[in-house]
Amino acid sequence: METHVPASSHSSLKRQKATTPSRDNFSGCNGKYLTVPQNRSSLHSTRISGSLEVPSCMDTYCSSIINNYLDGTQGEAMDSMGGMHIRDSKRKVDYVLVYHYRKCLTQHQPGAGSPGPMQRAASMAIVSNGETRKGCLELQPDNGQHAPQEAQVIELDPLDTLEEEKRLQREEYECNLVAAGLEIEKDVENKSQGLNFVRIHAPWQVLSREAELLKIKMPTKKMYEIKEEGGIVKKLSEIWCKLTGPLQPQVPQEDTKMKNLSYPFSREKMHLYNIRDKDTFFNNATRSRIVHEILKRTSTKTRNSMGISTLIANNVYDAAYPLHDGEYEYQNDDMNERKLLYREWARYGVFYKFQPIDLIRKYFGEKIGLYFAWLGLYTEFLIPSSVVGIIVFLYGCITIESDIPSKEMCDQRNTFTMCPLCDKFCDYWNLSSACSTARASHLFDNPATVFFSIFMALWATTFLEQWKRLQMRLSYFWDLTGLEEEEEHPRAEYETKLLQKKLKNKSMKTENTNEVYQRVMHILTKDEKDKLTWNDRMPGYAANFGLILFMITLTFSAVFGVIVYRITTAAALSFSTNETTRSNVRVTVTATAVIINLVVILILDEIYGAVAKWLTEIEVPKTEKTFEERLILKAFLLKFVNSYAPIFYVAFFKGRFVGRPGHYVYVFDGYRMEECAPGGCLMELCIQLSIIMLGKQLIQNNLFEIGIPKLKKLFRKMKDERTEPKKMNTSQSKDPQQWDLDYSLEPFTGLTPEYMEMIIQFGFVTLFVASFPLAPLFALLNNIIEVRLDAKKFITELRRPDTVRAKDIGIWYNILSGIGKLSVIINAFVIAVTSDFIPRLMYQYAYSQNGSMHGFINHTLSYFNVSHLKAGTQPENSQFAQDVLFCRFKDYREPPWSQNQYEFSKQYWAVLSARLAFIILFQNLVMFLSVLVDWMIPDIPKDISEQIKKEKSVLVDFFLKEEHEKLKLIESFITRDKHKHRSGTKDQRIRAASFSQFNQSQKGSIASFSSQHTEV
């Protein structure tokens, strides 16, 4: 039970404090808190690791910085507030620190004092009295009964020593937090070991101070009208709003006609802001952001820990997070933002609705709000590209019956006898047996794919331009215009590395600990002179270069291994005596190889993510922004190579180095290099792309995102149940507080995985879209689920992230722009090299007799004299009905009766020249159109540009008016003072004359004169 200190007792406590000297550097914050012991225990000196320590304020609890200890009977008031407030049910819990504690179970040495373990006074209550004096309040023993007679020596084992060190770090850190103005509450450590929560509240003085330092823009009392476009644009906008009314989420909408003028918060101009209630002026996200900034910059002298990140890394604390706004599932009338987001955004049943971007930004902050805004725009842009892709696919389906090359290949009367696909065990075969492959290839290899490639290149440019416009619009409405780059604190790892570097200096080793600490803290505040140099980072850079090169080599090795699997499996299946097996060799090998590729990609993706993070850590970047950018670049490079290496092989390398009959290229002494199907490699490229894309989306993006967090949550729950004793109080287990519920959630690890999977998908949609026009459709279907999956994960599975202000999506935009430009080059090569578009075009306009495609198949097949086959490679036991003199193979080569037999023919060089010319023409045309689209679409919408100018003008007028009113007020005060001075002087003269007359007429008393003089 907590005991409050009456105000009348403060004077005695102050007198007591004045007689107590300061014990150490940590006692400066303790005067703000008064301690009232209920069951005072003896206070002893302790010996830790063999060294005797004098008890300080922290050891006696006068330096404890907790303003509330809660026992089991004090939870009722908190339950009524849903666990969002501390014990007084008035102050909000803005942040929570969590740690595991373990009480020391040590034995006394014989003769070292009273027997029994040393324990802390668990029932002690500490109450804030609102004072800010410095000093330390020492508890005096009652009548000397509990005063120690001699020092007590306790030997601690290594685990107890480590635990004691952590406890001291926590106490010092929390003391420093209180010195920064924060208010803290924690529970009693009444078990041998367990979990404890430190609840932090930021009072108004701290919030206003930090908001001014961070230059947080807050709404003023001034409002101005947002100009709307008139004419046909306004009418179209109204029609669109009516049509999309059912798709709008049912959340409070901000006024789109009026906007508050925002200005960086200043305590000197508080009268300008629209402060109706100090408790709600800063929303929960802003409050937690301010507290997090204080946590990051608060350091401890013990072990030179720099901020909360280092303490968590050293296991002093387990976690630090802001609270969610309550439960999201309870069907009560109490509505909060989390429950509203869950109902209107994070359920699969509302997949058809737009996202409440403003509410997402308000709850999670600008950085996460921008991610979901970008994801929503990307998903919307996939709709037109999906429609066009479906049209291209349907065009292939409709024209498949009129495709002359397919008809010629499927015509049984045109007996094209093809050369064997393998040595000795493969027989000659008719081209008509590959009819189904040729017809399927036409679905994706038709003239419409060229148009679709150009369309998708322009689509990517338009999407990026539209995103820049939306980004500017959001920046205006979210008050991010003119947002300066905030000065970031160095990362804890960087400061630790710099500290280790300086401690190696021999001159510093001779100094005492305080001087070392002061010098190091002075070093860490410098920017230019003292920092990690190139030489310090050289081992990290060397490790990065070597390991990244090794990982890329590993990816290529995996691709080569799959190639070897395809070659050997195809050869093995060709030896089969089963006719069905031999006839389906190509399908079997292709399907199994793609599945193997998919499994390898999924495994290596997880490995590369961990490796990229480790490589970035050993580089020791200075700030979190630099760390994130380098991590993104490494992870993207490794995952890009991993995802697209098998596709690049099929598109540009497979079938290019086969050789020709009688002179094949062999690997591993007897295995021929694999070649493309009779219809070309484009169909196989389509299969490879579709299976890898769909497999990654289904398995990695959906199953992994759903299953892995649940498994981690289950594992952590089992671990906590195994390490923490069962609670005896059943009421607490039935009604857990919000901080308990949030601790059971997964910690937020950043947006990099979310962006990464979408960027890889963007590559699938744009890079090889010429071979798979349905890629945008499958991406659209995935993203409809992905938006709600991510939303549900953020609302129900993750702890609330720290609010981060950002005005753009950072380096991800540059990666998207690079992929868009690379897609132009790759699609040009796919159309020119992989597909038969150029050979068909050349045949129709250069070699055809009547300008039609009749005879195209015969034109692309070369002759080979079977007598020129090497000994031992001829088919054994050929089942072919007729004797074969010549067989055909797909290539442009001279016939055997030519002088330059089997050399590349003139048609080959003509087609090669046409392919190169098409690549150059296609790239320049599409690049020109992309630049044209970029130029035609302004980055900043016209109405937003005008509103930004208007806002600046209104801001200037607002402050000029305020200054003018100030001047008028000052002038009025000066005028009134002058008027008072003049009237006072005149009064004085009149009264002086009256006094002279009065003195002459009758002699007044001294008292009468004094009273009148006093009035004057």
Side-chain angles (χ1 to χ4, degrees), residues 864-883:
F864 181 77
N865 192 336
V866 296
S867 61
H868 294 165
L869 287 172
K870 291 183 178 179
T873 62
Q874 297 90 346
E876 291 183 351
N877 304 321
S878 175
Q879 303 295 324
F880 219 64
Q882 55 187 357
D883 293 334

Side-chain angles (χ1 to χ4, degrees), residues 4 114 133 324 341 398 444 470 512 600 868 950:
H4 292 269
S114 59
R133 302 186 315 277
H324 278 292
L341 283 171
I398 294 171
F444 306 100
L470 177 60
N512 60 41
V600 171
H868 294 165
K950 182 180 178 179

